[in-house]
């Protein structure tokens, strides 16, 4: 199932769903330093939103609970404006117009939190602009463009359940992963992805297990996130937040990506909502969000 989006005459709205690494195995490292991964990824209803309108000149603005953590204004090293500029260059090179746009980001996901916030925003910008500009681009070229923005952007461009290999560019869609009810939890302390990989002692770990007849939960129980131990050593709150999710009777608790967001899988959305309420009462200054997968 693809991301739902809405287009209006004056505005294009594109969802930027949170990316959840249900499992993440680090299987090697290339000569250029990039790490090789095998990861089972899904996406949630919770996420950011990109809004695009025609304008006299390009502009970029941000709102939302985590908007103040990002630098508003056009240009710089923002993935949204980089995605806009790269796509425009690609389209203009094929003779397609790409008029100026005002892009607004509603930032609801924590920053640098292991759930693909910036990558999801960049991918949503690419999807949204293609619709807004009524433009087309070769899928392979679009995938290559996405990869130049970051290893997670091709996955977020898909925004559906998948297994990704390599550095994230080798994508295998998954059609039978059931809907999952999650609580996302983050202590609102960022961790450095390069530092987590630097602390990872073994860079050549076993790949994802073979999926057998037991189903996806058995598959998940046999898998892991190889980045969780070094991340937890760097930020002890990750262990604390994982323990809190377990105390709320989550069926499986794990860190996503390089952290610091952890997720708990619950048997129903109502159970996830109840756990979110309980967790917020215990730590009102942390991020908790009950959601479901797309």
């Amino acid at each position: 199932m693809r991301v739902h989006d809405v287009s209006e005459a004056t505005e294009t709205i594109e969802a930027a769903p949170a990316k959840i690494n249900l499992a993440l195995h680090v299987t090697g490292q290339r000569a250029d330093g990039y790490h090789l991964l095998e990861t089972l990824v899904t996406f949630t209803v919770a996420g950011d939103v990109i809004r695009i309108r025609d304008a006299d000149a390009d502009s970029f603005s941000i709102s939302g609970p985590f908007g103040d953590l990002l630098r508003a204004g056009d240009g710089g090293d923002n993935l949204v404006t980089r995605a806009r500029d790269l796509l425009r260059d690609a389209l203009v090179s094929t003779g397609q117009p790409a008029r100026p746009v005002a892009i607004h980001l509603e930032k609801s996901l924590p920053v640098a939190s292991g759930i693909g916030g910036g990558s999801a925003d960049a991918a949503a910008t690419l999807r949204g602009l293609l619709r807004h500009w009524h433009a087309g681009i070769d899928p392979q070229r679009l995938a290559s463009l996405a990869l130049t923005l970051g290893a997670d952007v091709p996955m977020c461009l898909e925004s559906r359940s998948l297994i990704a290999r390599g550095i994230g560019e080798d994508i295998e869609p998954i059609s039978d992963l059931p809907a999952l009810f999650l609580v996302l939890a983050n202590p609102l302390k960022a961790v450095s992805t390069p530092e987590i990989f630097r602390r990872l002692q073994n860079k050549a770990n076993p790949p994802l297990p073979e999926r057998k007849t037991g189903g996806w939960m058995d598959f998940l129980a046999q898998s892991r996130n190889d980045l969780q131990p070094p991340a937890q050593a760097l930020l002890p709150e990750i262990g604390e937040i994982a323990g809190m999710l377990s105390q709320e009777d989550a069926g499986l608790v794990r860190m996503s990506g390089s952290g610091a967001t952890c997720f708990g899988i619950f048997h129903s959305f109502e159970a996830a909502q109840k756990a979110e309420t309980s967790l917020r009462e215990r730590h009102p200054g942390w991020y908790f969000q009950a959601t479901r997968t797309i």
Side-chain angles (χ1 to χ4, degrees):
M1 182 178 178
R2 301 307 302 272
V3 179
H4 290 294
D5 47 40
V6 180
S7 294
E8 300 176 1
T10 58
E11 184 176 51
T12 299
I13 304 171
E14 186 75 29
K19 173 190 67 68
I20 307 301
N21 297 92
L22 295 173
L24 195 163
H25 294 205
V26 180
T27 58
Q29 188 172 18
R30 301 194 319 194
D32 60 6
Y34 280 96
H35 290 84
L36 300 175
L37 311 173
E38 288 195 4
T39 179
L40 173 62
V41 171
T42 191
F43 293 83
T44 73
V45 173
D48 298 336
V49 176
I50 292 286
R51 296 177 178 270
I52 304 168
R53 290 179 176 269
D54 288 339
D56 294 330
D58 285 335
S59 65
F60 174 58
S61 57
I62 308 175
S63 64
F66 297 102
D68 59 344
L69 299 178
L70 295 176
R71 181 176 61 84
D74 196 39
D77 195 35
N78 187 282
L79 280 173
V80 169
T81 56
R82 287 172 60 196
R84 177 202 65 201
D85 295 344
L86 283 172
L87 181 60
R88 174 179 282 134
D89 289 346
L91 294 176
V92 170
S93 72
T94 62
Q96 299 181 76
R99 59 193 182 275
V101 286
I103 301 178
H104 183 77
L105 168 62
E106 295 177 3
K107 190 67 186 167
S108 299
L109 298 177
V111 177
S113 58
I115 51 177
S119 298
D121 298 339
T125 300
L126 295 174
R127 291 193 305 265
L129 284 174
L130 284 171
R131 291 194 299 113
H132 191 81
W133 285 332
H134 303 288
I137 187 173
D138 177 78
Q140 290 300 319
R141 186 173 185 187
L142 180 61
S144 177
L145 188 154
L147 188 60
T148 66
L149 291 165
D152 283 352
V153 181
M155 305 179 217
C156 293
L157 196 59
E158 293 286 333
S159 282
R160 55 179 170 172
S161 298
L162 56 89
I163 291 177
R165 299 180 176 88
I167 63 171
E169 83 287 4
D170 182 5
I171 290 173
E172 174 193 345
I174 299 296
S175 60
D176 62 338
L177 187 71
L180 300 174
F181 307 105
L182 309 175
V183 173
L184 309 181
N186 188 293
L188 296 185
K189 292 186 178 180
V191 291
S192 165
T193 297
E195 177 66 13
I196 297 302
F197 274 103
R198 189 187 69 79
R199 288 170 172 254
L200 181 65
Q201 294 182 351
N202 186 4
K203 306 295 181 70
N205 299 286
L208 290 172
E210 288 188 23
R211 186 181 163 215
K212 300 179 181 178
T213 56
W216 282 109
M217 290 306 292
D218 286 345
F219 177 92
L220 289 175
Q222 298 170 38
S223 64
R224 60 191 186 274
N225 182 345
D226 288 329
L227 301 182
Q228 186 164 349
Q232 193 166 312
L234 186 65
L235 185 66
E237 285 90 340
I238 293 173
E240 180 182 354
I241 213 163
M244 291 169 60
L245 286 164
S246 295
Q247 291 168 14
E248 296 294 332
D249 294 327
L252 177 81
V253 175
R254 186 165 289 157
M255 188 182 80
S256 178
S258 58
T261 301
C262 294
F263 62 87
I265 300 179
F266 291 84
H267 64 84
S268 69
F269 187 57
E270 291 72 22
Q273 289 178 308
K274 181 179 178 181
E276 177 197 348
T277 299
S278 173
L279 291 165
R280 284 184 184 276
E281 290 174 351
R282 293 170 63 183
H283 262 293
W286 288 5
Y287 169 84
F288 298 103
Q289 179 65 60
T291 187
R292 66 186 80 206
T293 57
I294 295 172

